[in-house]
Amino acid sequence: MSKNYLARIIVAAIFIPTILWVSYQGGWWLFGMLFLFSIIAINEFLHNEAMRPNQILFWISLLTVIILFINGTAEFIMRYMTFEQSKVLASTSIIPTTAVFFLISGMLLSIGKKPAADLFARYGRLLWGIVYVGLLYPIVFLVGLGIDKYVGGDLLLFLFGIIWIGDTAAMEIGKRYGKNKLAPSISPNKSVEGFVAGFFGAALVAVLMHYWKFPSVSLVHLLVIAIGCSLFGQLGDLVESMWKRSINIKDSSSIIPGHGGILDRFDSLLFAAPFMYAYFKLVL
């Protein structure tokens, strides 16, 4: 057994129970965990984009993500605020914040010394990174708050299960039977066979959750959710891989031994969470 594989197992054995425990605690525990993840994630992104703390664009980007995260979780935060404080928070809405960042970051990059094509490509990646981290992490929190009569911890258990079991099935089947490349220019190791296996892994989780946590929900609905989350999650993983390929890196960082960075570990989750939230909110 390689050291890297052993490290992956040890880290998973520690972090999976911890993450699930925090998920069921909810409230400020969950807020703190996801806020920390978002701060680490944007720092990984900015570091790989060659932005450092001695640059103003670094701090503008970090502040934007913080404001977007707080605004995206305002439904929870306002429970602990006075009316006047709530009015201040409400004034920092997502659209104006994103618009201000769009304007300032564009103006700062436009006076850079690199070729225009490089500056504009960097501008596009920077906007993607801010939206990716600043808008999607709060949606994971909204799932964890609970949706109507559904317990947040159960929803996150379902979501994590879909991602983790689906990814494991995709990886193992892909290694053994993968012959047809899914996206060779972005992720050469991913195969169509592994992609399909991810759906079966997610469907297995749906069946388990139906009999364990969601007996009142039709199995058909849970299968649709599982397959939809698996689809969004696997394609979301490719989106992040596309960013990494564009700047020639393998992992966003080495902060998690054997697993890479926070961006690497939660890419699928961030893309799957909006689908789960929308389905439980609008359909069930």
Coordinates of all heavy atoms in Angstrom, one line a residue, residues 71-131:
N71 N -24.0 37.2 3.1 CA -25.3 37.5 2.6 C -26.1 36.3 2.2 O -27.3 36.2 2.3 CB -25.1 38.4 1.3 CG -26.4 39.0 0.9 OD1 -27.0 38.4 0.0 ND2 -26.8 40.1 1.4
G72 N -25.4 35.3 1.7 CA -26.0 34.0 1.3 C -26.6 33.2 2.4 O -27.5 32.4 2.3
T73 N -26.0 33.5 3.6 CA -26.5 32.8 4.8 C -27.3 33.7 5.7 O -27.5 33.4 6.9 CB -25.3 32.2 5.6 OG1 -24.4 33.2 5.9 CG2 -24.6 31.1 4.8
A74 N -27.8 34.8 5.2 CA -28.4 35.9 6.0 C -29.7 35.4 6.7 O -30.0 35.8 7.8 CB -28.8 37.1 5.1
E75 N -30.4 34.4 6.0 CA -31.6 33.8 6.6 C -31.3 33.3 8.0 O -32.1 33.4 9.0 CB -32.1 32.7 5.8 CG -33.3 31.9 6.3 CD -33.7 30.7 5.5 OE1 -33.2 30.6 4.3 OE2 -34.4 29.8 6.0
F76 N -30.1 32.7 8.2 CA -29.7 32.2 9.5 C -29.2 33.3 10.4 O -29.6 33.4 11.6 CB -28.7 31.1 9.4 CG -28.0 30.7 10.6 CD1 -28.6 29.9 11.6 CD2 -26.7 31.1 10.9 CE1 -28.0 29.5 12.7 CE2 -26.0 30.7 12.0 CZ -26.7 29.9 13.0
I77 N -28.3 34.1 9.9 CA -27.6 35.2 10.7 C -28.6 36.2 11.3 O -28.5 36.6 12.4 CB -26.6 35.9 9.9 CG1 -25.5 34.9 9.4 CG2 -25.9 37.0 10.7 CD1 -24.4 35.5 8.5
M78 N -29.7 36.5 10.5 CA -30.6 37.5 11.0 C -31.4 37.1 12.2 O -32.0 37.9 12.9 CB -31.6 37.9 9.9 CG -31.0 38.8 8.8 SD -32.1 39.2 7.5 CE -31.2 40.3 6.5
R79 N -31.4 35.8 12.5 CA -32.1 35.3 13.7 C -31.4 35.9 15.0 O -32.0 35.9 16.0 CB -32.1 33.8 13.8 CG -32.8 33.1 12.6 CD -32.6 31.6 12.7 NE -33.1 30.9 11.5 CZ -32.9 29.6 11.3 NH1 -32.3 28.9 12.3 NH2 -33.4 29.0 10.2
Y80 N -30.1 36.2 14.9 CA -29.4 36.7 16.0 C -29.0 38.2 15.9 O -28.1 38.6 16.6 CB -28.1 35.9 16.1 CG -28.3 34.4 16.2 CD1 -28.4 33.6 15.0 CD2 -28.6 33.7 17.4 CE1 -28.7 32.2 15.0 CE2 -28.8 32.4 17.4 CZ -28.9 31.6 16.3 OH -29.1 30.3 16.3
M81 N -29.7 38.9 15.1 CA -29.4 40.3 14.9 C -30.6 41.2 15.3 O -31.7 40.8 15.3 CB -29.0 40.6 13.4 CG -27.8 39.8 12.9 SD -27.4 40.1 11.2 CE -26.8 41.8 11.3
T82 N -30.3 42.4 15.6 CA -31.4 43.4 15.9 C -31.9 43.8 14.5 O -31.4 43.6 13.5 CB -30.8 44.7 16.6 OG1 -29.9 45.3 15.7 CG2 -30.1 44.3 17.9
F83 N -33.0 44.5 14.6 CA -33.7 45.0 13.3 C -32.8 45.9 12.5 O -32.6 45.8 11.3 CB -35.0 45.7 13.7 CG -35.7 46.3 12.4 CD1 -36.3 45.4 11.5 CD2 -35.7 47.7 12.2 CE1 -36.9 45.9 10.4 CE2 -36.3 48.2 11.1 CZ -37.0 47.3 10.2
E84 N -32.1 46.8 13.2 CA -31.2 47.8 12.5 C -30.0 47.0 11.9 O -29.6 47.3 10.8 CB -30.7 48.8 13.5 CG -31.8 49.8 14.0 CD -32.4 50.6 12.8 OE1 -31.6 50.9 11.9 OE2 -33.6 50.8 12.8
Q85 N -29.5 46.1 12.6 CA -28.4 45.3 12.1 C -28.8 44.5 10.9 O -28.1 44.4 9.9 CB -27.8 44.3 13.1 CG -27.1 45.0 14.3 CD -26.7 44.1 15.4 OE1 -27.4 43.1 15.7 NE2 -25.7 44.4 16.1
S86 N -30.0 44.0 10.9 CA -30.6 43.2 9.8 C -30.7 44.1 8.5 O -30.5 43.7 7.4 CB -31.9 42.6 10.1 OG -31.8 41.7 11.2
K87 N -31.1 45.4 8.7 CA -31.2 46.3 7.6 C -29.9 46.5 6.9 O -29.7 46.6 5.7 CB -31.8 47.6 8.1 CG -33.3 47.6 8.4 CD -33.7 48.8 9.1 CE -33.6 50.1 8.2 NZ -34.1 51.3 8.8
V88 N -28.8 46.6 7.8 CA -27.5 46.8 7.2 C -27.0 45.6 6.4 O -26.5 45.7 5.3 CB -26.4 47.1 8.3 CG1 -25.0 47.1 7.8 CG2 -26.7 48.4 9.1
L89 N -27.3 44.4 6.9 CA -27.0 43.2 6.2 C -27.7 43.1 4.9 O -27.2 42.7 3.9 CB -27.2 42.0 7.1 CG -27.0 40.6 6.5 CD1 -25.5 40.5 6.0 CD2 -27.3 39.5 7.4
A90 N -29.0 43.4 4.9 CA -29.8 43.3 3.8 C -29.3 44.3 2.6 O -29.6 44.0 1.5 CB -31.3 43.6 4.1
S91 N -28.7 45.4 3.0 CA -28.2 46.3 2.0 C -27.0 45.8 1.2 O -26.7 46.3 0.2 CB -27.8 47.7 2.7 OG -26.7 47.5 3.5
T92 N -26.3 44.8 1.8 CA -25.2 44.2 1.1 C -25.6 43.0 0.3 O -25.2 41.9 0.5 CB -24.1 43.8 2.0 OG1 -24.6 42.9 3.0 CG2 -23.6 45.0 2.8
S93 N -26.5 43.2 -0.7 CA -27.1 42.1 -1.4 C -26.1 41.5 -2.4 O -25.0 42.1 -2.7 CB -28.4 42.5 -2.1 OG -28.1 43.4 -3.1
I94 N -26.4 40.3 -2.9 CA -25.4 39.6 -3.8 C -25.2 40.3 -5.1 O -24.0 40.4 -5.5 CB -26.0 38.2 -4.0 CG1 -26.0 37.3 -2.8 CG2 -25.2 37.5 -5.2 CD1 -26.6 36.0 -2.9
I95 N -26.2 40.9 -5.7 CA -26.0 41.5 -7.0 C -25.1 42.7 -7.0 O -24.2 42.8 -7.7 CB -27.4 41.8 -7.7 CG1 -28.1 40.5 -8.0 CG2 -27.2 42.6 -9.0 CD1 -29.5 40.7 -8.6
P96 N -25.4 43.7 -6.1 CA -24.5 44.9 -6.0 C -23.1 44.5 -5.6 O -22.1 45.0 -6.2 CB -25.1 45.7 -4.9 CG -26.6 45.3 -4.9 CD -26.6 43.9 -5.2
T97 N -22.9 43.5 -4.7 CA -21.6 43.1 -4.3 C -20.8 42.5 -5.5 O -19.6 42.9 -5.7 CB -21.6 42.1 -3.2 OG1 -22.3 42.6 -2.0 CG2 -20.2 41.6 -2.8
T98 N -21.4 41.6 -6.3 CA -20.8 41.1 -7.4 C -20.5 42.1 -8.5 O -19.5 42.1 -9.1 CB -21.7 40.0 -8.0 OG1 -22.1 39.0 -7.0 CG2 -21.0 39.2 -9.1
A99 N -21.4 43.1 -8.6 CA -21.2 44.1 -9.6 C -20.0 45.0 -9.3 O -19.2 45.4 -10.2 CB -22.5 45.0 -9.7
V100 N -19.9 45.4 -8.0 CA -18.8 46.2 -7.5 C -17.5 45.4 -7.8 O -16.5 46.0 -8.3 CB -18.9 46.5 -6.0 CG1 -17.6 47.2 -5.5 CG2 -20.1 47.5 -5.9
F101 N -17.5 44.1 -7.5 CA -16.2 43.4 -7.7 C -15.9 43.3 -9.2 O -14.8 43.4 -9.6 CB -16.4 42.0 -7.1 CG -15.2 41.1 -7.4 CD1 -14.0 41.3 -6.6 CD2 -15.1 40.2 -8.5 CE1 -12.9 40.5 -6.8 CE2 -14.0 39.5 -8.7 CZ -12.9 39.6 -7.9
F102 N -17.0 43.1 -10.0 CA -16.8 43.1 -11.5 C -16.1 44.3 -12.0 O -15.2 44.3 -12.8 CB -18.1 42.9 -12.1 CG -18.1 42.9 -13.6 CD1 -17.8 41.8 -14.4 CD2 -18.4 44.1 -14.3 CE1 -17.8 41.8 -15.8 CE2 -18.4 44.1 -15.7 CZ -18.1 43.0 -16.4
L103 N -16.6 45.5 -11.5 CA -16.0 46.8 -11.9 C -14.6 47.0 -11.4 O -13.7 47.3 -12.2 CB -17.0 47.9 -11.5 CG -18.4 47.9 -12.1 CD1 -19.2 49.0 -11.3 CD2 -18.3 48.2 -13.6
I104 N -14.4 46.8 -10.1 CA -13.1 47.1 -9.6 C -12.0 46.2 -10.1 O -10.9 46.6 -10.5 CB -13.2 47.1 -8.0 CG1 -14.1 48.2 -7.5 CG2 -11.8 47.2 -7.4 CD1 -14.2 48.2 -6.0
S105 N -12.3 44.9 -10.1 CA -11.3 43.9 -10.5 C -10.9 44.2 -12.0 O -9.8 44.1 -12.4 CB -11.8 42.5 -10.3 OG -13.0 42.2 -11.0
G106 N -11.9 44.5 -12.8 CA -11.7 44.7 -14.2 C -10.8 45.9 -14.4 O -9.9 45.9 -15.2
M107 N -11.1 47.0 -13.7 CA -10.3 48.2 -13.8 C -8.8 48.0 -13.3 O -7.9 48.5 -14.0 CB -10.9 49.3 -13.0 CG -12.2 49.8 -13.7 SD -12.9 51.3 -12.9 CE -13.4 50.6 -11.3
L108 N -8.7 47.2 -12.3 CA -7.3 47.0 -11.7 C -6.5 46.1 -12.7 O -5.3 46.4 -13.0 CB -7.4 46.3 -10.4 CG -7.8 47.2 -9.2 CD1 -8.0 46.3 -8.0 CD2 -6.9 48.3 -9.0
L109 N -7.1 45.1 -13.3 CA -6.4 44.2 -14.2 C -6.1 44.9 -15.5 O -5.2 44.6 -16.2 CB -7.2 43.0 -14.5 CG -7.2 41.9 -13.3 CD1 -8.2 40.8 -13.6 CD2 -5.8 41.3 -13.2
S110 N -7.0 45.9 -15.9 CA -6.8 46.6 -17.2 C -5.5 47.4 -17.3 O -5.0 47.7 -18.4 CB -8.0 47.5 -17.5 OG -8.0 48.6 -16.6
I111 N -4.9 47.7 -16.1 CA -3.7 48.5 -16.1 C -2.5 47.6 -15.9 O -1.4 48.1 -15.5 CB -3.7 49.7 -15.1 CG1 -4.0 49.1 -13.7 CG2 -4.8 50.7 -15.5 CD1 -4.0 50.2 -12.6
G112 N -2.7 46.3 -16.0 CA -1.6 45.3 -15.8 C -0.6 45.4 -17.0 O -0.9 46.0 -18.0
K113 N 0.6 44.8 -16.8 CA 1.7 44.9 -17.7 C 1.7 43.7 -18.7 O 2.5 43.7 -19.6 CB 3.0 45.0 -17.0 CG 3.1 46.3 -16.2 CD 4.4 46.4 -15.5 CE 4.5 47.7 -14.7 NZ 5.8 47.8 -13.9
K114 N 0.9 42.7 -18.4 CA 0.9 41.5 -19.3 C 0.1 41.7 -20.5 O -0.6 42.7 -20.6 CB 0.4 40.3 -18.5 CG 1.2 39.8 -17.3 CD 0.7 38.6 -16.7 CE 1.6 38.1 -15.6 NZ 1.1 36.9 -14.9
P115 N 0.2 40.8 -21.5 CA -0.6 41.0 -22.8 C -2.0 41.0 -22.5 O -2.5 40.4 -21.5 CB -0.2 39.7 -23.6 CG 1.2 39.4 -23.1 CD 1.2 39.7 -21.6
A116 N -2.8 41.7 -23.3 CA -4.2 41.9 -23.1 C -5.0 40.5 -23.0 O -5.9 40.3 -22.2 CB -4.8 42.7 -24.2
A117 N -4.6 39.6 -23.8 CA -5.2 38.3 -23.8 C -5.0 37.6 -22.5 O -6.0 37.0 -21.9 CB -4.7 37.4 -25.0
D118 N -3.8 37.7 -21.9 CA -3.6 37.0 -20.6 C -4.3 37.7 -19.5 O -4.9 37.1 -18.6 CB -2.1 37.1 -20.3 CG -1.2 36.2 -21.2 OD1 -1.8 35.3 -21.9 OD2 0.0 36.4 -21.3
L119 N -4.4 39.0 -19.6 CA -5.1 39.8 -18.5 C -6.6 39.5 -18.6 O -7.2 39.3 -17.5 CB -4.9 41.3 -18.7 CG -3.5 41.8 -18.4 CD1 -3.3 43.3 -18.8 CD2 -3.2 41.6 -16.9
F120 N -7.2 39.4 -19.8 CA -8.6 39.2 -19.9 C -8.9 37.7 -19.4 O -10.0 37.5 -18.8 CB -9.1 39.4 -21.3 CG -10.6 39.5 -21.4 CD1 -11.3 40.6 -21.0 CD2 -11.3 38.4 -21.8 CE1 -12.7 40.7 -21.0 CE2 -12.7 38.4 -21.9 CZ -13.4 39.6 -21.5
A121 N -8.1 36.8 -19.8 CA -8.3 35.4 -19.3 C -8.2 35.3 -17.8 O -9.0 34.6 -17.2 CB -7.2 34.5 -20.0
R122 N -7.3 36.0 -17.2 CA -7.2 36.1 -15.8 C -8.4 36.7 -15.1 O -8.9 36.3 -14.1 CB -5.9 36.8 -15.4 CG -5.5 36.7 -13.9 CD -4.3 37.5 -13.6 NE -3.7 37.1 -12.3 CZ -2.8 37.8 -11.7 NH1 -2.4 39.0 -12.2 NH2 -2.4 37.4 -10.5
Y123 N -8.9 37.7 -15.8 CA -10.1 38.4 -15.3 C -11.3 37.4 -15.3 O -12.1 37.4 -14.3 CB -10.4 39.6 -16.2 CG -11.6 40.5 -15.9 CD1 -11.9 40.7 -14.6 CD2 -12.3 41.1 -16.9 CE1 -13.0 41.6 -14.3 CE2 -13.4 41.9 -16.6 CZ -13.7 42.1 -15.3 OH -14.8 42.9 -15.0
G124 N -11.4 36.7 -16.4 CA -12.5 35.7 -16.5 C -12.4 34.6 -15.4 O -13.4 34.2 -14.8
R125 N -11.2 34.1 -15.2 CA -11.0 33.1 -14.2 C -11.3 33.6 -12.8 O -11.8 32.9 -11.9 CB -9.6 32.5 -14.2 CG -9.2 31.7 -15.5 CD -8.0 30.9 -15.3 NE -6.8 31.7 -14.9 CZ -6.0 32.3 -15.7 NH1 -6.2 32.1 -17.0 NH2 -5.0 33.0 -15.3
L126 N -10.9 34.9 -12.6 CA -11.1 35.5 -11.2 C -12.6 35.6 -10.9 O -13.0 35.3 -9.8 CB -10.4 36.9 -11.2 CG -10.5 37.6 -9.8 CD1 -9.8 36.8 -8.7 CD2 -9.8 39.0 -9.9
L127 N -13.3 36.1 -11.9 CA -14.8 36.2 -11.7 C -15.4 34.9 -11.5 O -16.3 34.7 -10.6 CB -15.4 36.9 -13.0 CG -15.1 38.3 -13.2 CD1 -15.7 38.8 -14.5 CD2 -15.6 39.2 -12.1
W128 N -15.0 33.9 -12.2 CA -15.5 32.5 -12.0 C -15.2 32.0 -10.6 O -16.0 31.5 -9.9 CB -14.8 31.5 -13.0 CG -15.2 30.1 -12.7 CD1 -16.3 29.5 -13.1 CD2 -14.4 29.1 -12.0 NE1 -16.3 28.2 -12.6 CE2 -15.1 27.9 -11.9 CE3 -13.2 29.2 -11.4 CZ2 -14.7 26.8 -11.3 CZ3 -12.7 28.0 -10.7 CH2 -13.4 26.9 -10.7
G129 N -13.9 32.2 -10.1 CA -13.6 31.8 -8.8 C -14.4 32.5 -7.7 O -14.8 31.8 -6.7
I130 N -14.6 33.8 -7.8 CA -15.4 34.5 -6.8 C -16.9 33.9 -6.7 O -17.4 33.7 -5.7 CB -15.4 36.0 -7.1 CG1 -14.0 36.6 -7.0 CG2 -16.4 36.7 -6.2 CD1 -13.4 36.4 -5.6
V131 N -17.5 33.8 -7.9 CA -18.8 33.2 -8.0 C -18.9 31.8 -7.4 O -19.8 31.4 -6.7 CB -19.4 33.3 -9.4 CG1 -20.7 32.6 -9.5 CG2 -19.6 34.8 -9.8

